Each structure stands twice: as C-alpha cells, then as structure tokens.
DNA sequence: TCCTTTACCAACCGGTGGTCGGTATGTAGA
DNA sequence: TCTACATACCGACCACCGGTTGGTAAAGGA
C-alpha cells in the first residue's frame, strides 16, 4: 500500500475541460509534431508535450501508451499526406504514361516544397544525434507510401510500350533514392537563398532537377528531354517562399553543452 | 560538500587490473558492439556495457565521454573496414575501368557477405524501434566511405571513354541505393536458406545481382552483360555459410512487455 | 624518493519515461 | 431523477538511466 493520505487529487481549479477523445488525441499530436520538428525526438520530453498540449501526464497516457506512439502518429500523418498527394496527381492526370509520370513528379515536388519547414528542420538536425530516429522513420514511411504508386506508373508505361526498362523494381528504387539524395541539393539551395543568392540557388536546384530528368530518361529508355523536371520559375518561387519562414524557437535551457 | 565519510573507494578486492588505454578502450568497444548488435541501441545501458566489459562506470567515462561515443566507435570500425576493402580492391585490380569496376563490386559484395551476422541483426531489428539509430548511422557511414571510391571509378571510366553517363553523381547515388536496397533480397534469401531452400535462395539472390548488373550497364552506357554480378556458385557458398552461424542471445529480463 | 599523470572506482544526482490509486464527467437504463 | 458503469483525466510516485564528482592507487620520469 502506498501512503497517499488525504490529498485532493482533482481540485476544481486544476481540472481541465473534458474533450472528445479524437480531438484531444489530435491536439496532443499537434503539439508533439511542432515540438519534434523544432527540437528533435529525444530533446522533447513528455513533460514538454503535456505542457504544450495542456493536459496532465496521466491524461496523456490515457491516449498514448508510450512516447513512441507520438512518433508513429506524426509519421503516419506525413505518410497519409504523401499518399494522398501522389494518388491525386495520378488520378487527375490524363494522357500516356509519360505525361502521367511527369504530372506525378511535378506534384510530388510541389508537395515536398510545402514541407520546407520540415525539410529545414531535418537539414538542421540531420547530424544531431537525437534526430536520426525521426528522420529515418519519416523517410522510410514516405518511401514506402510512394513506392507502390511509382511501381504502378512504371508498370503502366511498360505495358503501354512507352518505357523500356531492364528491371522495373530497380528503376523505382533508383528514383526513390534520387529524390532522397536531392535533399542535400535542396539544403544548399535554401542556404544560398537565405544568404541572398537566389539566382545561384535557383540554378543549382534546377540543374539538379534537369540532371534527374536526364537520368530518368536513360533509365526508362526514353529520348533525352522526355522527363521534364527543369522548371526554373517554379523553383525560384519555391526558394523565395522557403526563405520567408521563421524558425521555430528552440528550447531555452540546455542541460549539458557536451 | 558531499558526505563521503571514510569510505574506502578502492578496496583491494574490487580494484581491477590496470590495462593499456587502447586495449581497455577496444575491450569496451567490443563489448558494446556485441551488445548493440544483439539488442539494439537504446535497449543497451551503460550498466550493461560496463558489466560486460568488466569495468566500473567511472572507468568507462574515463575512456568515453558519452554513450554516443560508443556508437561512433562501432560505426567507425565498420567504416574503416569498408574503406580498406574498397581501396584494396581498387588498388589490386588492373585493366580498363570496366575490369576495375567489376573487381571492386565483387570485392564489396564479398565484404558484405562477411558482415552477415550484422546483416542478420539489422534484418531482425530493422523494424524494432530502438535500432533505427544504429542502422541509420552504419548505413550512412558506409555509404559516405564508399561513395568517393565509386565516384573515382566512374570518373575514370568517363575519362577513359569507356563509360557514357549523363550525370555521374546521380549514377553513383543510384548504385549506392541499389546496394542498400539489396538488403531486402538478402534477407529473403537468408530466411529461405535457413528454411532449407538453398536452391531457391541462390536463384533469388543471383537474379537480383544479375538485374543490378543489367541496370548498371544501362546507367553507364555499356552493352548488356558488361557489369558481371551474376555468380551463382559464390552466392550459394555465401548463403550456406550464413546459415551456419548462431544468433546472439537476447537480454533475459524484459522490463515491460508493452 | 618524491611528484605528476593516468587509469580507475563507488556514491551520488537530476531528470525521464512510465505507473497507480483516485476523482470528476459523462451517459444508459430503471 | 436516481443509479451504475465506463471513461477522460489528475498528480504523486517510482525505477532507472546517463552523467558527475571526489577520491585512490598504480605507472613512470627526475
């Protein structure tokens, strides 16, 4: 038996409003996502989350069994968005396989651009130890979500006799890897933009995308210039938008500087 | 001031043997590596490591500033081995760029085969939350170590007029991604081997490697069959060897089943 | 022999994820 | 309207983990 005494656990002043379960869950998830993106996985404590979400520790553990469930929730949200975007791009586009592929890729890039805050965070945090987990999970989940769509498009192109590939699954793997490797270029471009060199940043990013297009032409057995990823105006617009956002403030206290 | 009293800190019975710094460091690193590979990053505590290495907590922190340094040490070892293997393959091979590339790839695959215990661990643990970090670090460090070698070989081939590629850096990215994506196939092949289907496993693995070769032919602008990765006899031998090893035992106590 | 450095130790600490007994707010049936 | 049960929520408490600290003894040079 524990010595609890006559403590009034739920005094009227401290008791919070009762919310619908899904709403409370979403609110906690929102708070957690913001904090994770600002500080990284292991720099965020349950105490931070419950303070930000306005709930007690016990209340938190009523909705989530463990801290890891927060990660799952955030990653799930990303995955769902990516899938929805990819499926939408696939559904709305018409024409032959190449046209649809171009539309899909453009849509995916545009979705990625909307994720610049996240990207920015990942760029900052990639080398910081505590964020490996969050980064890895998001990347793996996104790739897993996009892969089947890409596979379908490549298979369609082959079936239509439009694409000529020796190994379709390897092509998909390579395309996925390219989009992940693009991160470094985007990082450089964003930094250059913030440093004032919008022209140089645009050239860098557009050059990378043109090279990716040429590479995909080669992989899919298409004549050069078929996969059209070069789009300087759009990239300029994206970079300019990315430079305008504010950084999410970091935690004030820093327990050990190491 | 802390109340220490007259405690005998280093009684004769408990004081350990004094070792050479590098030897002790290596011993701790060995213990840590075994534990990490068996249980994963965050399931291993400092207490586990020091118990396994036969040293006190204070002694541990004399050699390592933080738990993360253990990770760095383990990953560094891997990276160094990969680099050494790659450089050796590059140095010993003679002939034109294609011959050297084939020799290099064969050497890299053979090195990977020696890592089957690790691979086995990663395969088991990839979905377990605690190992994301270890997995991600090893993969990133290996890729970072191999990338410059690959870049050099591709550049050589282009300079010799042997390869025809639109974007060399993207080709390297794709090759790296292919070797990482191969993991899933290796996983399936090892499982099949352990289930008794050595022929099927060999066919699966060799098929994948043949496809990778064909894909690289395409990327490098070479006639089909140039990059020779198909080698059923060797893969059969590797798989048979991989099936013979024992699993590292897991931790006995499990704090919460969750 | 003395002194400095170094390898090592045990106790301790702040903080973190997670648990537990208990309380208030619904809501369904009598 | 009263009662009974499920559920949203609370906050004190706990085990334990990574890391710090003050101190000890062996090694090694002068």
């Amino acid at each position: 038996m524990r010595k609890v005494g006559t403590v009034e656990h739920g005094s009227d002043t401290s008791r919070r409003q009762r919310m619908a379960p899904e709403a409370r869950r979403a609110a906690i998830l929102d708070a957690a996502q913001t904090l994770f993106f600002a500080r990284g996985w292991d720099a965020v404590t349950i105490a931070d989350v419950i303070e930000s979400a306005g709930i007690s520790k016990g209340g938190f553990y009523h909705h989530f069994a463990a801290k890891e469930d927060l990660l799952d929730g955030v990653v799930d949200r990303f995955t769902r968005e990516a899938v929805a975007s990819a499926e939408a791009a696939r559904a709305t586009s018409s024409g032959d396989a190449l046209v649809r592929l171009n539309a899909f890729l453009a849509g995916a890039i545009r979705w990625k651009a909307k994720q610049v805050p996240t990207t920015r965070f990942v760029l900052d945090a990639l080398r910081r130890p505590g964020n490996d987990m969050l980064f890895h999970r998001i990347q793996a989940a996104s790739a897993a979500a996009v892969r089947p769509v890409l596979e379908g498009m490549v298979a369609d192109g082959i079936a239509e006799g439009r694409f000529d590939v020796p190994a379709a699954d390897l092509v998909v793997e390579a395309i996925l890897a390219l989009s992940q490797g693009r991160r470094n270029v985007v990082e450089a471009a964003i930094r250059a933009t913030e440093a004032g060199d919008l022209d140089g940043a645009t050239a860098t990013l557009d050059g990378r995308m043109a090279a990716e297009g040429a590479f995909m032409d080669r992989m899919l057995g298409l004549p050069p210039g078929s996969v059209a990823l070069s789009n300087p105006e759009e990239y300029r617009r994206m970079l300019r938008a990315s430079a305008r956002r504010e950084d999410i403030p970091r935690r004030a206290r820093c327990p050990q500087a190491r």
Side-chain angles (χ1 to χ4, degrees), chain A residues 86-87 90 96-98 100-101 104 144-160 162-163 165 168-169 171-173 175-176 220:
Chain A
E87 291 291 356
R90 194 191 198 191
D96 73 346
L98 178 57
R100 295 203 303 276
L101 180 62
F104 168 76
V146 173
R147 171 174 281 123
V149 181
L150 257 184
E151 282 173 351
M153 302 191 76
V154 171
D156 286 354
I158 295 171
E160 292 178 20
R162 197 81 178 78
F163 301 163
V165 302
D169 52 342
V171 169
V172 172
E173 261 180 43
I175 294 176
L176 251 19
L220 296 172

Side-chain angles (χ1 to χ4, degrees), chain A residues 186-245:
Chain A
V186 174
E187 171 178 15
I190 290 179
R191 289 208 206 288
T193 304
E194 288 172 350
D197 184 16
L198 181 60
D199 290 343
T202 304
T204 301
L205 184 54
D206 191 62
R208 162 80 188 199
M209 298 314 296
E212 281 190 37
F215 190 75
M216 288 179 62
D217 290 337
R218 164 79 64 109
M219 285 197 295
L220 296 172
L222 297 167
S226 297
V227 177
L229 260 34
S230 172
N231 193 341
E233 296 79 18
E234 180 154 10
Y235 297 143
R236 176 181 295 268
R237 221 177 315 126
M238 288 178 182
L239 286 171
R240 196 176 299 157
S242 80
R244 251 198 292 276
R245 35 159 269 98

Side-chain angles (χ1 to χ4, degrees), chain A residues 78-162:
Chain A
F78 264 77
T79 304
R80 255 197 301 275
E81 276 187 41
V83 168
S85 168
E87 291 291 356
R90 194 191 198 191
T92 60
S93 63
S94 59
D96 73 346
L98 178 57
V99 173
R100 295 203 303 276
L101 180 62
N102 271 325
F104 168 76
L105 291 173
I109 291 165
R110 223 167 286 129
W111 181 77
K112 278 267 177 74
K114 281 194 293 188
Q115 306 291 336
V116 168
T118 307
T119 307
R120 189 78 174 79
F121 146 76
V122 172
L123 301 181
D124 283 347
L126 190 52
R127 265 93 191 179
R128 275 205 303 161
N131 286 335
D132 287 30
M133 192 163 170
L134 184 55
F135 171 75
H136 184 221
R137 292 269 187 116
I138 288 178
Q139 193 149 285
S142 297
V146 173
R147 171 174 281 123
V149 181
L150 257 184
E151 282 173 351
M153 302 191 76
V154 171
D156 286 354
I158 295 171
E160 292 178 20
R162 197 81 178 78

Side-chain angles (χ1 to χ4, degrees), chain A residues 30-112:
Chain A
D30 285 342
Q33 176 165 331
T34 304
L35 287 168
F36 287 154
F37 285 174
R39 300 178 196 159
W41 167 251
D42 58 4
V44 173
T45 69
I46 304 277
D48 294 330
V49 175
I50 67 176
E51 182 194 341
S52 176
I55 198 174
S56 72
K57 208 164 195 179
F60 168 81
Y61 276 100
H62 176 71
H63 292 281
F64 295 90
K67 190 191 180 191
E68 287 235 354
D69 288 4
L70 288 174
L71 227 191
D72 293 343
V74 170
V75 171
D76 275 358
R77 194 179 303 192
F78 264 77
T79 304
R80 255 197 301 275
E81 276 187 41
V83 168
S85 168
E87 291 291 356
R90 194 191 198 191
T92 60
S93 63
S94 59
D96 73 346
L98 178 57
V99 173
R100 295 203 303 276
L101 180 62
N102 271 325
F104 168 76
L105 291 173
I109 291 165
R110 223 167 286 129
W111 181 77
K112 278 267 177 74

